[in-house]
Amino acid sequence: MKNTDKPRILLVENIHPIAKEFLEQDGYQVDLISHAPTEDELIALIPNYTALGIRSKTEVTAKVLENCGGIVTIGCFCIGTNQVNLSAARQKGVAVFNAPHSNTRSVAELVIAEMIALSRQLGDRNSRAHQGEWVKSAEGSKEVRGKTLGIVGYGHIGSQVSILAESMGLHVLFYDAVKKLPLGNARSVHSLDELLAASDFITLHVPEIQETMNMIGKRELALMKPGSYLINASRGTVVVIEDLVAALKSKHIAGCAVDVFPVEPASNKEKFVSPLQNLANVILTPHIGGSTEEAQKAIGMEVAESFRRYLKIGSSSGAVNFPNVDLPVKKGTSRLLNVHRNEPGVLGEINTIISRAGANIEAQFLSTDDEIGYLVMDVHSKHANQLAQDIVGLKRSIRTRVVY
Ligand code: NAI
């Protein structure tokens, strides 16, 4: 890896090339490693870098963070962030970003495909044709046009499914725990029960939280229309699988498409076992709702953009372990960023340093959580570096930098 005087970013685990391209255009030196580095490799590598980009296999442990040198941000070029010790990162003043919504369109498209596939029994017809059986029959096959789709969870994915479904002539109803603006002609209903009773297709797009655990079980399946379909591309714990199997066997539910399971194989090498296997009109997919080339590219761009905004202007909006601050850029000033332990009196100490220097604060924004405070200040350029040096000296200061 050649060393230049540009700020350096390390991207590991074959992150989509668009991220490197994007960051290089912005003046960074980007080095690539194709594998997931071990703890020791990371400790040896990262002190020379300003930012680290990983995917799901690189473990950023407390020990790595203890030795992270000049790293100010870590980007998870994926959805999950549990491979990073978020609390240790916060205590070291390292903001962690991810890309939770770059794959929403991919999930929405899969759901639309599955609605039609279920309605036409494509899974079964396809496998039987492969086995040499010719099942030419219209029985039980229906168009989706004019049917009612019920969406549970009208967030990033649910609302996109809504738009796509309407364009194919479905009536869309949705239920969300929070009041949401309906898009197009979609209509919100007051309860999950109402949605279940009124829909020909139910698709689930809620997060995995306490309230959504086992949200669809025996009672809810019984409320669904006879002959209706269930699609789950949210999280496996939302549906009680045994109850779904019973509803399918009794033919009350005419079919289902499931992409997520309560227990999923940890890798492609492990065997997948589910009570839903070998049932009629059941489409099973290996958690691929968001797995497309377009989503990988969008993830590359989303996290690279988070790096750019955090490194260049200190915007931490979207950080998963850090107070979110997004202060507009003020022309003719310099910006100083400080992360400190959130203890009484810290801000007073910082402001004393500023007033002693006779510096005028043009803008200041502080956001805190239980452990840290993140302070963004715009000051006259002539004062910025001296102020930063004095603030670094404070006992409770964790990280200070001048970004422009
Ligand atoms: P989001 O956060 O944008 O939307 C979730 C919606 O569910 C919100 O509007 C929220 O108010 C609503 N909600 C929460 N609790 C609820 C409850 N008890 N009842 C009704 N509504 C409730 O999330 P997004 O991005 O749309 O993702 C939805 C789900 O899809 C998540 O579980 C996510 O993990 C999953 N997902 C699955 C993928 C796959 O590969 N199959 C890929 C990406 C996301």
Side-chain angles (χ1 to χ4, degrees):
M1 286 165 200
K2 73 177 173 345
N3 210 340
T4 68
D5 54 4
K6 293 177 182 174
R8 297 172 72 190
I9 295 178
L10 177 64
L11 302 181
V12 306
E13 289 191 70
N14 279 329
I15 286 166
H16 195 283
I18 193 81
K20 176 176 162 73
E21 205 179 294
F22 190 86
L23 290 163
E24 280 178 347
Q25 277 167 14
D26 235 44
Y28 296 100
Q29 180 190 325
V30 179
D31 296 330
L32 301 177
I33 289 182
S34 58
H35 65 280
T38 61
E39 188 177 61
D40 288 343
E41 267 180 283
L42 269 183
I43 290 171
L45 276 166
I46 60 173
N48 304 319
Y49 290 94
T50 303
L52 168 69
I54 61 169
R55 288 175 70 192
S56 55
K57 293 198 175 70
T58 304
E59 301 275 334
V60 184
T61 60
K63 190 172 161 199
V64 170
L65 285 154
E66 207 42 59
N67 297 282
C68 70
I71 292 276
V72 296
T73 177
I74 293 172
C76 300
F77 285 71
C78 52
I79 316 297
T81 53
N82 50 9
Q83 68 280 39
V84 179
N85 185 325
L86 294 178
S87 164
R90 176 169 42 242
Q91 282 157 22
K92 292 296 285 183
V94 175
V96 179
F97 295 91
N98 65 341
H101 303 302
S102 291
N103 58 8
T104 56
R105 170 73 187 210
S106 303
V107 182
E109 286 191 12
L110 181 71
V111 168
I112 296 294
E114 288 177 338
M115 253 184 346
I116 299 175
L118 289 170
S119 210
R120 302 293 292 274
Q121 301 165 46
L122 282 192
D124 294 357
R125 298 282 161 98
N126 171 56
S127 63
R128 289 177 73 175
H130 276 282
Q131 286 154 22
E133 287 183 57
W134 191 249
V135 191
K136 182 171 165 54
S137 157
E139 202 189 326
S141 285
K142 292 182 182 142
E143 292 182 353
V144 297
R145 177 173 52 168
K147 305 296 183 302
T148 300
L149 170 65
I151 301 173
V152 186
Y154 204 64
H156 288 82
I157 298 173
S159 56
Q160 289 217 42
V161 171
S162 170
I163 293 169
L164 296 175
E166 271 205 342
S167 70
M168 293 192 310
L170 283 112
H171 305 293
V172 176
L173 302 176
F174 68 88
Y175 169 69
D176 198 292
V178 174
K179 196 165 169 47
K180 291 281 167 103
L181 183 74
L183 300 177
N185 299 313
R187 210 160 46 79
S188 74
V189 297
H190 298 296
S191 69
L192 178 61
D193 290 4
E194 194 185 329
L195 189 84
L196 296 170
S199 307
D200 300 299
F201 298 90
I202 290 287
T203 183
L204 308 174
H205 300 291
V206 289
E208 183 176 46
I209 49 175
Q210 193 67 38
E211 292 75 17
T212 60
M213 195 74 86
N214 300 333
M215 189 182 201
I216 304 293
K218 191 174 174 188
R219 181 187 159 278
E220 291 73 25
L221 289 160
L223 286 173
M224 285 174 67
K225 276 188 181 178
S228 59
Y229 300 96
L230 180 71
I231 299 172
N232 185 17
S234 62
R235 282 294 178 263
T237 52
V238 176
V239 177
V240 183
I241 295 289
E242 293 70 27
D243 294 346
L244 176 58
V245 169
L248 288 160
K249 284 188 173 162
S250 73
K251 305 253 188 277
H252 177 65
I253 300 297
C256 69
V258 182
D259 187 45
V260 287
F261 303 87
V263 180
E264 296 180 3
S267 77
N268 286 355
K269 290 184 187 131
E270 262 178 43
K271 197 169 166 59
F272 167 61
V273 181
S274 167
L276 288 165
Q277 282 162 333
N278 304 313
L279 294 173
N281 210 15
V282 169
I283 299 171
L284 302 180
T285 46
H287 203 147
I288 48 154
S291 306
T292 61
E293 290 176 8
E294 288 84 353
Q296 286 307 314
K297 187 172 176 186
I299 287 170
M301 293 194 62
E302 185 176 342
V303 183
E305 174 64 9
S306 296
F307 273 169
R308 196 183 67 79
R309 289 180 58 75
Y310 186 63
L311 294 173
K312 291 232 149 131
I313 62 169
S315 166
S316 59
S317 86
V320 293
N321 67 333
F322 222 68
N324 281 207
V325 174
D326 199 358
L327 195 66
V329 171
K330 198 162 186 201
K331 277 199 178 142
T333 61
S334 278
R335 179 160 289 181
L336 199 157
L337 311 173
N338 169 259
V339 185
H340 53 259
R341 292 208 301 275
N342 184 16
E343 291 168 8
V346 185
L347 193 59
E349 288 175 0
I350 293 174
N351 283 335
T352 304
I353 288 175
I354 293 163
S355 65
R356 268 203 211 120
N360 194 27
I361 301 172
E362 304 279 343
Q364 188 180 50
F365 197 94
L366 170 70
S367 182
T368 59
D369 62 22
D370 287 350
E371 286 178 317
I372 60 165
Y374 180 43
L375 179 66
V376 179
M377 280 190 299
D378 290 341
V379 294
H380 194 286
S381 305
K382 69 178 179 200
H383 296 297
N385 288 326
Q386 185 57 50
L387 287 176
Q389 264 180 39
D390 293 348
I391 292 170
V392 167
L394 293 176
K395 241 177 45 209
R396 291 175 288 193
S397 178
I398 300 172
R399 236 168 239 274
T400 304
R401 60 192 172 107
V402 174
V403 279
Y404 58 82

